[in-house]
Amino acid sequence: MVIVMAPEATQQDIEAIVGLVSRAGGDAFVSRGVNRTIIGLVGDIARFMNLNLGGMSGVAEVMRVSTPYKLVSRDHHPERSTVRVGNVPIGPGTITLIAGPCAVETPDQTLAAARMAQAAGATLLRGGAYKPRTSPYAFQGLGEAGLRILADVRAETGLPIVTEVVDAHDVELVASYADMLQVGTRNAQNFGLLQAVGSVGKPVMLKRGMSATIEEWLMAAEYIAQRGNLEIVLCERGIRTFETATRNTLDISAVPVVQRLAHLPVIVDPSHSGGRRDLVLPLTRAAIAVGADGVIIDVHPTPEQALCDGPQALVDGDLDELGRIVRELPPLMGRTLATGL
Ligand code: E4P
Ligand code: PEP
């Protein structure tokens, strides 16, 4: 059971609930978010039901949701949500193309990739300034210098920025540049980081952990939601399987499964899942056909020189076809390509 407190609830209101629940033999876990406090109750639900919690001072809503994830579930919020990044919607009715370089390397490379993304119809720019790498000897990203490049490219192109944060200590800094924070597959169950991004008041894209079940993924999203941030977009980016022909296996069925369980938008990353340029366009078609709310795609002006993930980056020659896919397929699904208008 979860109690959502009204924004004007006082400390006294919260303490009254915690006291009542504990006298009824239960435990109350208080989580203070940016705008709201949320209290999770553990114990005998039947006893809690007799406490008239909904009538207590400061209580906005009492949720008796049977799934372990509460705030992100469709039981709590039956309509599917739209998350806005700047003026760009991600949600039902549209397909949002997010594209850009895997890593920010130089100002010229980032601007060139942003122009490529825009030419294909992207309305959000992706690009990592902090790169989570398997090897500590691999390029780790430019850090704040990379964020400054992204901000300059945003000023030049008008594209809002989606960029990854890998450490809870950097959340404020990354959020001061980013329009949307990305939590990647490797940090998808870094609970301190999830709580930190939940507290900073910016939309968050949460990728699926490469070995996470759908329930674990949704519980990770619940960590962000519990801090008062429901501006969350989920991204299916492939999972670890026995198959080695692709980098990861895109779990395409996760898209409709998650859309039924959670009200949050679900997008697909055809670049990191397949890990191969030749698979990106076919997987993009599959993502749109299955009902994804968007796709996030790596593009690079010179992938043979890329410092990260060159083999999966689309090149100039792929852009016409990418543009055709994101403009022509969505109407067949009752959607339109998202613009920033
Ligand atoms: C990408 O954006 C990641 O940083 C990348 O996929 C990491 O993979 P690697 O470090 O194993 O090359
Ligand atoms: C990325 O999109 O830059 C990234 C690191 O992806 P993932 O976390 O899915 O590997």
Side-chain angles (χ1 to χ4, degrees), residues 101-103 126-133 163-164 166 182-188 205 207-210 235-238 247-248 269 271-273 296 298 308-309 312:
C102 182
R126 63 144 294 143
Y130 295 84
K131 295 307 299 176
R133 302 306 301 272
T163 195
E164 182 161 355
V166 298
Q182 176 175 328
V183 175
T185 193
R186 291 163 174 81
N187 270 311
M205 186 216 299
K207 289 195 157 192
R208 179 179 183 177
M210 63 181 90
C235 178
E236 161 59 44
R237 51 78 65 209
R247 190 179 192 185
N248 290 120
D269 183 338
S271 306
H272 286 80
S273 46
I296 177 165
D298 287 4
C308 187
D309 287 349
Q312 70 195 30

Side-chain angles (χ1 to χ4, degrees), residues 111 115 118 150-159:
L111 182 59
R115 297 266 188 237
Q118 224 165 11
L150 284 169
D152 289 346
V153 172
R154 170 177 53 201
E156 182 86 20
T157 61
L159 293 171

